[in-house]
């Protein structure tokens, strides 16, 4: 089940200097594409953001360690097993994976970055993964995005990808990316696996800041169920092959690149929400006129995480009292109940501390019957606005997660 039409583009523009190869190792399901190898050209910049979960998986720990030691040249991803909560044995399996890639591809072990996703707490069948590496290497191609998008999925029902180009100073710049994520989605950096590559040339320090900024307004603004994964990672690679140098000294080019990156990341983030486990609604929660960013985000996420709100959304029930109650418990200091307003779409449901005088159940029902729903809370106490995206909570979400390990 997913919300709205599929958004995977018909054309994923290749990024020169970045290749992807996909294979099947049978890690969890025989015959399923579940191993993706990515090769990065020399002199590229490679940066990442990672989960803040204290039980972060062995591959996350090793990936950060390798990034601090060497220039990344290969990314290796497996699905079906998270290699998380696996202690020292999990670390050794992640190291063994990187060593196998390094031997196969004639590179340093520290130049290989590992990523895993799937069931937590089970030993990684590292022998199966390593056995599939030669086929993944054979498949390496700048046109390998579609297979890779399939190869990183777990409970996802759709491929998630985005590809954009813009022209600046006569040079065509490409940004292409894929992501996976459907459940265990709660922002605390990136909330999933994501890989974005561009042929622009960007210095690593600036690229890192661009990734952080883009993540904060995309992947860090989505939530399905309030759970932060042990394996979340999002990588950004700049190969420099287009000939365009992105620099803050050239504000026009810098802003064009930043806008394109943000659009790619937000498209990938929205695709995760549209494919949230059991989702039947794509829900935008916008808190306006807040006194601070922290206040706006806390209120928005409290609404997005409320089981009562989410089940009302699933039922298409305009039970606006549930939204009102969440705003009231969001910890907003000195909240003026008479000043705030709450809307479903363009329909005002709450004003002057209670039900708006012009509200009708039919108007609220018309909004809730849609697949895409906007909840707006206008606090009228400042100039800060923040938006998050979430899903409803359905029977299928419970069934999917009850059967996850079967």
């Amino acid at each position: 089940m997913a919300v709205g039409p599929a958004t995977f583009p018909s054309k994923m523009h290749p990024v020169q200097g970045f290749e992807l190869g996909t294979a099947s190792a049978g890690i969890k399901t025989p015959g399923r594409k579940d191993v993706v190898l990515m090769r990065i050209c020399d002199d590229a910049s490679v940066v990442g953001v990672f989960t803040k979960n204290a039980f972060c998986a062995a591959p996350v720990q090793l990936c950060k360690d390798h990034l601090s030691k060497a220039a990344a040249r290969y990314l290796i991803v497996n699905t079906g097993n998270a290699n998380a909560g696996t202690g020292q044995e999990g670390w050794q399996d992640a190291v063994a994976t990187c060593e196998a890639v390094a031997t196969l591809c004639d590179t340093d072990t520290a130049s290989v970055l590992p990523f895993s996703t799937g069931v937590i707490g089970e030993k990684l069948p590292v022998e199966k993964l390593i056995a599939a590496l030669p086929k993944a290497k054979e498949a390496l191609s700048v046109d390998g995005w579609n297979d890779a998008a399939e190869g990183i999925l777990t409970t996802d029902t759709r491929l998630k990808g985005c590809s954009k180009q813009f022209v600046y100073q006569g040079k065509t710049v490409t940004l292409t990316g894929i992501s996976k994520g459907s459940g265990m989605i709660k922002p605390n950096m990136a909330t999933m696996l994501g890989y974005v590559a561009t042929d622009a040339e960007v210095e690593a320090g600036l690229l890192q800041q661009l990734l952080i900024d883009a993540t904060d307004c995309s992947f860090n603004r989505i939530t399905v169920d309030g759970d932060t994964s042990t394996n979340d990672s999002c990588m950004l690679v700049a190969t420099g092959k287009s000939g365009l140098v992105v620099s803050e000294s050239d504000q026009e080019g810098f802003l064009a690149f930043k806008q394109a990156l943000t659009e790619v990341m937000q498209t990938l983030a929205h695709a995760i929400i549209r494919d949230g486990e059991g989702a039947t609604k794509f829900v935008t929660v916008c808190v306006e006129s807040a006194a601070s960013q922290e206040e706006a985000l806390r209120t928005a996420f409290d609404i997005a995480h409320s089981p009562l709100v989410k089940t009302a959304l699933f039922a298409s029930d305009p039970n606006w009292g549930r939204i009102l109650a969440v705003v009231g418990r969001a910890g907003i200091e000195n909240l003026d109940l008479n000043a705030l307003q709450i809307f479903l779409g363009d329909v005002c449901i709450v004003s002057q501390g209670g039900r708006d005088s012009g509200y009708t159940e039919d108007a609220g029902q018309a909004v809730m019957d849609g697949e895409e729903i906007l909840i707006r809370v206008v606090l009228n106490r400042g100039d800060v606005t923040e938006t998050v995206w979430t899903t409803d909570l359905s029977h299928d979400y419970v069934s999917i997660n009850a059967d996850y390990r079967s």
Side-chain angles (χ1 to χ4, degrees):
M1 185 181 298
V3 181
T7 59
F8 196 85
S10 58
K11 173 65 174 177
M12 293 286 277
H13 300 292
V15 176
Q16 296 304 313
F18 189 79
E19 300 171 287
L20 309 92
T22 304
S24 174
I27 290 173
K28 182 179 180 182
T29 304
R32 180 173 179 174
K33 295 173 184 175
D34 55 7
V35 172
V36 179
L37 182 66
M38 306 179 197
R39 179 162 61 195
I40 304 165
C41 66
D42 292 341
D43 301 322
S45 297
V46 182
V47 297
V49 286
F50 304 93
T51 183
K52 294 181 175 63
N53 192 310
F55 265 107
C56 68
V60 175
Q61 299 174 46
L62 188 59
C63 184
K64 291 192 288 185
D65 180 64
H66 282 185
L67 267 178
S68 70
K69 292 179 177 178
R73 290 297 169 260
Y74 288 87
L75 313 180
I76 179 63
V77 189
N78 77 268
T79 63
N81 186 295
N83 194 14
T86 47
Q88 185 61 32
E89 185 177 35
W91 173 270
Q92 292 169 351
D93 288 341
V95 170
T97 301
C98 292
E99 289 176 343
V101 172
T103 298
L104 179 67
C105 300
D106 191 24
T107 190
D108 295 332
T109 300
S111 72
V112 181
L113 307 183
F115 306 86
S116 298
T117 183
V119 178
I120 295 170
E122 295 184 0
K123 175 176 167 49
L124 177 70
V126 68
E127 299 82 6
K128 291 183 178 181
L129 197 169
I130 291 173
L133 291 178
K135 289 186 177 179
K137 182 186 177 185
E138 289 175 10
L140 284 169
S141 167
V142 294
D143 294 314
W145 287 98
N146 290 47
D147 283 343
E150 182 180 353
I152 65 174
L153 303 184
T154 50
T155 59
D156 311 59
T157 68
R158 289 176 173 178
L159 305 186
K160 299 171 178 65
C162 184
S163 189
K164 290 186 177 294
Q165 293 181 317
F166 69 92
V167 178
Y168 183 71
Q169 294 182 343
K171 297 180 175 66
T172 299
V173 179
T174 300
L175 298 95
T176 298
I178 55 176
S179 66
K180 63 81 51 182
S182 187
M184 195 175 276
I185 298 295
K186 163 65 174 74
N188 202 352
M189 97 68 229
T191 73
M192 73 314 150
L193 295 183
Y195 304 94
V196 178
T198 178
D199 53 12
E201 179 181 337
V202 192
E203 180 272 328
L206 179 58
L207 192 68
Q208 181 73 62
Q209 189 57 55
L210 283 163
L211 176 59
I212 290 171
D213 292 346
T215 299
D216 280 345
C217 62
S218 58
F219 297 123
N220 274 355
R221 296 292 184 269
I222 62 174
T223 181
V224 169
D225 45 27
D227 273 303
T228 296
S229 168
T230 55
N231 292 65
D232 297 337
S233 304
C234 183
M235 305 302 296
L236 177 58
V237 176
T239 68
K241 296 297 184 180
S242 70
L244 178 70
V245 178
V246 175
S247 169
E248 289 182 290
S249 62
D250 178 0
Q251 275 292 293
E252 185 178 354
F254 173 79
L255 292 175
F257 180 81
K258 183 172 184 177
Q259 178 179 344
L261 177 62
T262 300
E263 289 175 358
V264 168
M265 301 272 277
Q266 285 188 341
T267 298
L268 294 175
H270 289 179
I272 289 173
I273 292 302
R274 292 186 181 280
D275 194 31
E277 289 176 344
T280 70
K281 307 282 187 178
F282 177 89
V283 185
T284 301
V285 182
C286 183
V287 176
E288 305 173 12
S289 302
S292 66
Q293 182 185 61
E294 189 276 336
E295 177 178 277
L297 284 176
R298 183 179 67 246
T299 304
F301 277 121
D302 279 356
I303 294 169
H305 290 148
S306 167
L308 290 177
V309 172
K310 292 169 82 70
T311 49
L313 289 163
F314 172 62
S316 299
D317 178 10
N319 191 346
W320 55 268
R322 293 182 176 183
I323 303 171
L324 177 148
V326 174
V327 175
R329 67 167 171 79
I332 303 171
E333 294 185 5
N334 302 313
L335 177 62
D336 185 347
L337 299 180
N338 290 319
L340 74 85
Q341 297 168 293
I342 302 176
F343 294 80
L344 284 175
D346 293 329
V347 177
C348 185
I349 54 177
V350 173
S351 64
Q352 297 296 315
R355 174 174 169 158
D356 183 76
S357 59
Y359 174 73
T360 66
E361 188 81 359
D362 287 344
Q365 188 66 60
V367 176
M368 294 294 280
D369 283 340
E371 278 192 331
E372 302 198 14
I373 296 172
L374 169 63
I375 298 173
R376 291 175 54 224
V377 177
V378 184
L379 296 177
N380 287 315
R381 52 191 272 120
D383 58 3
V384 177
T385 296
E386 289 290 347
T387 301
V388 304
W389 297 275
T390 191
T391 65
D392 56 336
L393 180 59
S394 71
H395 304 296
D396 284 345
Y397 176 87
V398 177
S399 297
I400 289 166
N401 284 282
D403 296 336
Y404 184 66
R405 294 204 302 163
S406 62

